[in-house]
Amino acid sequence: MKASWDIFCSVVDNYGDIGVTWRLARQLVAEHQQGVRLWVDDLRAFVPLCPEADVSAAQQWQQGVEVCQWPAQWPATEVADVVVEAFACKLPEGYLQAMKAREKPALWINLEYLSAEDWVSGCHGLPSMRPDGLKRMFFFPGFDAGTGGLLREADLLQRRHAFEQDPQAKQVFLQGLGVCPAYNARLISLFAYENTGLASWLDAMAAGAGPTHLLVPQGRIMGDLLQWLGIEQLPLGAVEQRGALTVQALPFVRQEDYDHLLWSCDFNAVRGEDSFVRAQWAGRPLLWHIYEQEEDAHWVKLNAFLDLYVKGLSPQAARAVTGLWHAWNAGAEMGESWNGVLQCWPEIAAHAEQWCLEQSLQADLAQALVLFYRNWI
């Protein structure tokens, strides 16, 4: 059954919010044949993810999705069958009035941030009644059967496995970015917020017994990287070497190419929500830089995920992973915890793939949303 969807996205964290909603919109169209209109309040954050997009267009079609500029002055607009309010952004007052006037109520979904906290499954799918008579439903992505799951295209793991089994595909992709690592180098991607702990991690990699090739897409971590390198700029594609560590700057790439980058690397440092989920589907060891929240609320979310993620690891490996994640998110000294991860590398690598397979047994987020709507009508 085809339905119309309005997805509202207010860009807060550069690419995290738009990254999730753009991926969701495309999947609803491509796999579930839904009609989707994506409202974005800052198209400048959208264009790096979809380079063919027009940053000044009030309305445009991209990959089957109607992408609209969310204007300050809301125009008269027909309300969709399903209204997705992503990450607690506030719907325009004019749209709310139109929802109240709609003859057949729309399903209003508040799509929440991803969390592994215990209370999430208890709140997933619950309604919230407003004084004006409108009702919205809370929808939580998550890691267990009591949640909405994670965004995952139906063929994602098949595409990843095909890429991994084709050494030439990996070589061609990396060469397209100007990356030519040593044959025995550990390849690491780094996408993160500013972090005072970076220098100690770079020190540890530079002093390592084997070569490491660090790939750094354009982003907020670049200032800390340049400070450690002792240079004023690192042009895209340029390479700097310090001891056993080779550092290379990459352009910010579209989502499809970022997946290929994650699949090409042995270890992925990621940030926010969208890249965090994609790194899990890559089946590689990873390091998450969580978005910092007031009153250190992000630490509760970080530890809730770690409690789930390290299950099945040996005590030594679990301590190594937990120690590395804690040091990174505290901006603390990284050398000891990184060496601890290297000592447990085979186990941690196997565990990352097992975690990916376990999560793939659940319904994906887009599928869960469509089913939620069909059960609602």
Side-chain angles (χ1 to χ4, degrees), residues 39-320:
W39 296 92
V40 184
D41 67 352
D42 186 358
L43 288 174
R44 292 172 300 175
F46 175 61
V47 170
L49 301 177
C50 181
E52 57 270 26
D54 182 351
V55 72
S56 62
Q59 183 267 353
Q60 59 190 300
W61 288 89
Q62 298 293 345
Q63 299 184 40
V65 177
E66 183 182 358
V67 181
C68 299
Q69 173 73 50
W70 181 345
Q73 296 297 319
W74 187 256
T77 304
E78 184 178 354
V79 174
D81 300 317
V82 188
V83 180
V84 178
E85 181 183 51
F87 311 126
C89 68
K90 294 185 178 181
L91 297 182
E93 184 60 34
Y95 194 88
L96 288 172
Q97 295 302 321
M99 286 176 68
K100 286 191 285 187
R102 196 178 197 262
E103 183 177 350
K104 183 180 180 180
L107 172 60
W108 181 4
I109 294 175
N110 184 354
L111 180 62
E112 290 284 351
Y113 286 102
L114 174 63
S115 179
E117 294 169 88
D118 291 339
W119 58 266
V120 165
S121 57
C123 294
H124 174 65
L126 291 183
S128 173
M129 295 298 301
R130 288 165 44 103
D132 59 8
L134 290 176
K135 178 174 69 174
R136 60 180 172 182
M137 311 296 292
F138 289 100
F139 204 93
F140 285 86
F143 303 95
D144 59 48
T147 68
L150 305 173
L151 272 176
R152 182 187 79 252
E153 298 89 339
D155 65 345
L156 176 63
L157 297 190
Q158 290 177 323
R159 287 189 285 113
R160 194 198 95 193
H161 292 149
F163 182 85
E164 292 170 335
Q165 292 166 12
D166 185 355
Q168 186 176 4
K170 175 181 174 180
Q171 183 179 11
V172 168
F173 170 73
L174 290 175
Q175 287 179 345
L177 294 175
V179 177
C180 299
Y183 81 95
N184 61 337
R186 177 177 285 110
L187 208 56
I188 296 178
S189 73
L190 172 61
F191 184 51
Y193 307 111
E194 299 86 349
N195 197 314
T196 56
L198 177 64
S200 61
W201 188 20
L202 298 174
D203 287 339
M205 289 188 281
T212 297
H213 197 119
L214 184 67
L215 302 176
V216 189
Q218 288 173 306
R220 289 166 55 176
I221 195 67
M222 191 60 69
D224 293 321
L225 181 66
L226 293 175
Q227 184 176 2
W228 183 82
L229 288 169
I231 58 179
E232 292 186 359
Q233 60 179 348
L234 184 62
L236 296 181
V239 171
E240 291 282 337
Q241 186 163 353
R242 303 290 187 275
L245 175 63
T246 300
V247 178
Q248 187 168 4
L250 298 184
F252 189 96
V253 296
R254 62 190 307 142
Q255 288 180 325
E256 298 87 342
D257 287 336
Y258 186 64
D259 281 333
H260 290 142
L261 178 63
L262 295 174
W263 301 346
S264 299
C265 289
D266 303 297
F267 185 91
N268 294 300
V270 292
R271 67 172 225 199
E273 182 167 321
D274 185 57
S275 59
F276 174 45
V277 172
R278 302 312 280 194
Q280 292 175 63
W281 295 134
R284 305 287 197 279
L286 73 152
L287 176 61
W288 183 27
H289 199 178
I290 190 171
Y291 187 74
E292 189 171 325
Q293 294 177 295
E294 293 181 1
E295 299 180 355
D296 288 339
H298 57 289
W299 279 102
V300 177
K301 293 179 67 173
L302 183 79
N303 287 322
F305 177 79
L306 278 171
D307 288 344
L308 281 181
Y309 186 73
V310 302
K311 287 180 179 178
L313 284 173
S314 67
Q316 181 184 1
R319 284 194 301 271

